[in-house]
Amino acid sequence: MHRYPADTDGDKALPQALNSVRARETPLDRATAHLDAPLAVVDLQAFDANAADLVRRAKGKPIRVASKSVRCRALLERVLARDGFAGIMSFTLDESLWLARSGFPDVLLAYPSVDRAGFAELTADPKPAAAVTVMVDDPAQLDLIDAARPAGGGEEVRVCLELDTSYRLLGGQVRIGARRSPLREPAQLAALARVVTRRPGFRLVGLMAYEGHVAGVGDEVAGKPVFSRAIRMMQAAARKELAQRRWEAVRAVRAVAPRLEFVNGGGTGSVQHTAAEAAITEIAAGSGLYVPRLFDNFRSFSGRPAALFAQPVVRRPGPGAVTVLGGGYPASGAAGSDRLPVPYLPAGLRYDPQEGPGEVQTPLLGPAADGLRIGDKVWFRHAKAGELCERFAELRLIDGDRVVETVPTYRGEGHTFL
């Protein structure tokens, strides 16, 4: 992996006259005073504290790190070196193969794939075949893998089944939760488990159930007490229903495959609840390491913002206003203001409602603007976690008020898997 010495790698020193007027009120500003923005940073003290809190909430069950929420090999290595973390949950087959070739020994692909070239590689090479587990919820996915195999059948493929976790009301007329697996009932999972176990070239090793409507939806939204109570009531009912159905699903699958290696569940927002279920053997989490803005609205835990990005002030169009370069980095999901980054430091800045964050420039309004000069940095928090890394080739790792290392993101290593 490429790593760069701290504060080197061709960084351009700013002219002294410009550097002298930069805002230096925070450790972030002091640490990066010699660096030009745009840039992205990870505060290692916050990152490590967030990791420790996830382990505390997992109550002794290992945490599988969701790579889509990190997208940086150096930071995946850092967190997996800690007690309480084991394995990666990846998001594409290409990424899974790359991680396996890089030496990560346990990679669970959390989504089905139709990457025929990837499956040809997986079934032809013992190293990734031993490290990677693929997700299946339909026999047609097994057919696609078989069609990609080399002559003679190739390597055995490790398989995980996914349980639909959505909460349904009114006889299924109302659905709360992501549309993921078609396998909802224990009997459906057992039926597919039999297909997998009877089919040469496959080995059923795991079961996954991701409750995004609990793990990824905040239950303490500022200024919305009634809405927040409704969310908590829904989540409590959903957790109770899912715990029973998940237990029954695990029992049904184990009756077919007694040597099931793992049962994965959870997500950053539901770690402590999922860990309490006897059927669960490991927890999935990733966003809780960076703590983006969407994870500010949880009652049961609070984290420290660890991943941030800075944009430079390039204009001062008038009193109470500055313009920064770029910044239009929306997160995935249903379009809305909650998918936008938020100005973080200095406090007291907001978007111009007529423009919002722009592709090339972003006007910011508020009293704090009058204290900013051309060249100063404005710090932002992204709405979601790892998606920020698709915008930057490297992350500056900060400890206190120093940049101690510069490491590449996936993009910086030449990979944009999605």
Side-chain angles (χ1 to χ4, degrees):
M1 179 185 304
H2 302 295
R3 291 176 184 259
Y4 314 115
D7 300 343
T8 61
D9 189 43
D11 292 326
K12 296 179 292 184
L14 295 173
Q16 185 61 39
L18 180 58
N19 194 45
S20 65
V21 299
R22 281 192 177 258
R24 299 194 179 194
E25 291 82 5
T26 71
L28 290 172
D29 294 312
R30 291 192 294 272
T32 62
H34 62 297
L35 299 175
D36 282 329
L39 58 85
V41 304
V42 170
D43 179 334
L44 292 179
Q45 293 181 16
F47 182 90
D48 290 344
N50 293 334
D53 187 64
L54 287 170
V55 171
R56 177 189 63 80
R57 291 196 287 135
K59 302 174 184 176
K61 292 188 176 178
I63 299 171
R64 185 180 292 273
V65 183
S67 63
K68 74 179 181 66
S69 300
V70 179
R71 303 194 202 202
C72 171
R73 279 200 297 167
L75 290 175
L76 288 172
E77 290 170 352
R78 183 183 183 92
V79 72
L80 287 170
R82 300 178 63 97
D83 290 341
F85 290 85
I88 290 175
M89 177 177 284
S90 58
F91 57 96
T92 73
L93 181 56
D94 192 20
E95 179 211 15
S96 304
L97 295 169
W98 178 64
L99 291 172
R101 291 193 300 268
S102 301
F104 292 95
D106 181 5
V107 182
L108 169 61
L109 174 56
Y111 307 88
S113 175
V114 293
D115 180 353
R116 290 173 292 183
F119 282 126
E121 179 180 344
L122 179 70
T123 54
D125 189 338
K127 182 175 181 178
V132 175
T133 301
V134 304
M135 192 63 60
V136 169
D137 59 32
D138 190 311
Q141 294 154 356
L142 302 176
D143 295 338
L144 189 143
I145 296 171
D146 273 339
R149 289 181 182 275
E155 300 296 322
E156 183 178 63
V157 175
R158 293 168 53 85
V159 171
C160 178
L161 306 183
E162 181 172 5
L163 169 70
D164 169 43
T165 67
S166 64
Y167 184 47
R168 298 185 183 182
L169 302 168
L170 302 177
Q173 296 181 57
V174 176
R175 175 193 179 105
I176 301 172
R179 295 182 181 274
R180 291 176 64 109
S181 173
L183 305 175
R184 179 171 179 81
E185 301 303 327
Q188 293 175 301
L189 284 124
L192 185 54
R194 285 189 287 271
V195 171
V196 174
T197 56
R198 293 171 181 172
R199 192 155 177 165
F202 296 93
R203 178 155 58 100
L204 181 57
V205 299
L207 177 65
M208 186 185 90
Y210 169 63
E211 57 268 31
H213 51 299
V214 178
V217 178
D219 63 354
E220 185 82 331
V221 182
K224 296 184 178 181
V226 175
F227 175 78
S228 297
R229 283 195 295 272
I231 291 294
R232 290 195 291 272
M233 291 175 61
M234 177 278 291
Q235 290 179 339
R239 288 197 304 268
K240 182 178 179 180
E241 184 276 335
L242 177 59
Q244 180 62 35
R245 185 159 51 87
R246 182 153 44 195
W247 170 261
E248 294 171 356
V250 171
R251 184 172 57 182
V253 172
R254 287 196 184 278
V256 178
R259 296 184 179 180
L260 209 63
E261 296 175 13
F262 63 86
V263 177
N264 181 282
T268 288
S270 64
V271 169
Q272 67 277 13
H273 302 297
T274 308
E277 294 183 31
I280 292 293
T281 68
E282 64 176 39
I283 308 296
S287 296
L289 296 169
Y290 287 171
V291 186
R293 62 166 295 204
L294 284 180
F295 285 85
D296 288 347
N297 300 320
F298 283 82
R299 193 181 201 186
S300 60
F301 76 98
S302 60
R304 293 169 55 181
L308 305 102
F309 67 94
Q311 304 296 116
V313 174
V314 293
R315 286 176 169 163
R316 290 173 49 82
V322 293
T323 302
V324 299
L325 182 69
Y329 305 157
S332 61
S337 60
D338 64 335
R339 300 290 143 169
L340 300 179
V342 290
Y344 181 56
L345 294 172
L349 295 172
R350 65 184 187 278
Y351 292 124
D352 182 331
Q354 297 186 56
E355 297 193 50
E359 176 188 10
V360 179
Q361 69 170 32
T362 296
L364 297 170
L365 310 178
D370 291 330
L372 291 168
R373 304 284 296 272
I374 299 296
D376 283 349
K377 295 181 179 75
V378 175
W379 294 92
F380 294 79
R381 294 175 65 200
H382 202 261
K384 297 182 75 173
E387 292 180 18
L388 170 64
C389 293
E390 299 299 331
R391 299 286 184 169
F392 293 90
E394 58 193 23
L395 298 172
R396 310 288 179 164
L397 305 186
I398 293 179
D399 188 355
D401 59 2
R402 295 186 306 120
V403 174
V404 295
E405 192 172 6
T406 299
V407 295
T409 61
Y410 279 11
R411 175 180 171 176
E413 295 201 66
H415 295 287
T416 51
F417 294 110
L418 275 179

